[in-house]
Amino acid sequence: MLAELEDLIAGSEHLTGASRRMLLRVRLFRAWVLIDEGRPAEAEAEVEAVLRTLTRTMYVTEVWELELIALVCMGDVLCALDRHEEAETIARAHLPRAEGHLAFGLQLLLLHSLSGQGRHQEALAESGGHHPESAPADSGAHELAAAVALNGLGRHDEARKEAQRALTACERYLHPSHQRVRKIRALLALIAPA
């Protein structure tokens, strides 16, 4: 998939206007693929380049959504680099202006960053409140974050149940080889048996 994205990016560098914004989205998808492949430093460079481009085009009213997408991606990069405090700062700073799937992405980033800092109780408290509607592609993500927090608190029975809920949600919409499904299965294997 990475090779296809890189070919698409290379063939689209000349684009302008709305097409240019689509190219920036493709570059963000490339960054998420790089994170999945264990190459977060490269992903960080990609997201920083997108954010620099967006900073130069802030006069275009449609870029606010793309900016939030890029910030969620940067937060994911920072978590992959074990820079959870910086990811938390991004999530908390931008959650108030986000709606819908962007609010969901930033809230999920907040949960990951808190658990990454060992602040599982705070992550669990954040996960228990209202969370925005999510798309089918986000299935199981919120439940997985809650399961990680529960497991971090040593509440293994609850963590197992929440992880199982996450897996059930994923099985409805995601391919069995999806990274989230793999993470859930790995967490279930880690949780001490009842």
Side-chain angles (χ1 to χ4, degrees), residues 33-76:
V33 171
L34 288 168
I35 293 169
D36 289 347
E37 292 190 358
R39 297 162 56 185
E42 292 174 65
E44 181 180 27
E46 186 76 69
V47 178
E48 286 176 346
V50 169
L51 286 168
R52 277 193 304 276
T53 300
L54 289 171
T55 300
R56 290 191 306 265
T57 59
M58 288 307 249
Y59 61 88
V60 180
T61 57
E62 295 86 17
V63 300
W64 70 269
E65 181 180 11
L66 191 52
E67 178 197 14
L68 285 178
I69 293 169
L71 288 167
V72 170
C73 187
M74 178 58 83
D76 289 344

Side-chain angles (χ1 to χ4, degrees), residues 86-151:
E86 294 171 72
E88 178 188 2
T89 300
I90 288 173
R92 289 195 188 278
H94 298 284
L95 253 169
R97 70 182 180 125
E99 302 173 344
H101 71 282
L102 294 171
F104 182 85
L106 285 164
Q107 184 180 38
L108 205 55
L109 176 60
L110 180 59
L111 300 179
H112 287 258
S113 65
L114 291 170
S115 281
Q117 295 173 67
R119 293 163 54 195
H120 303 293
Q121 190 63 47
E122 287 178 69
L124 190 58
E126 291 284 348
S127 74
H130 169 73
H131 53 89
E133 288 290 318
S134 61
D138 297 322
S139 295
H142 190 270
E143 295 87 347
L144 173 58
V148 168
L150 287 164
N151 189 51

Side-chain angles (χ1 to χ4, degrees), residues 20 28-29 35 41 75 99 101 136 140 142 156-157 169-170 176-177 187 189:
R20 183 72 176 172
L28 291 173
F29 290 135
I35 293 169
E99 302 173 344
H101 71 282
H142 190 270
H156 302 298
D157 290 339
C170 287
S177 66
L187 178 61

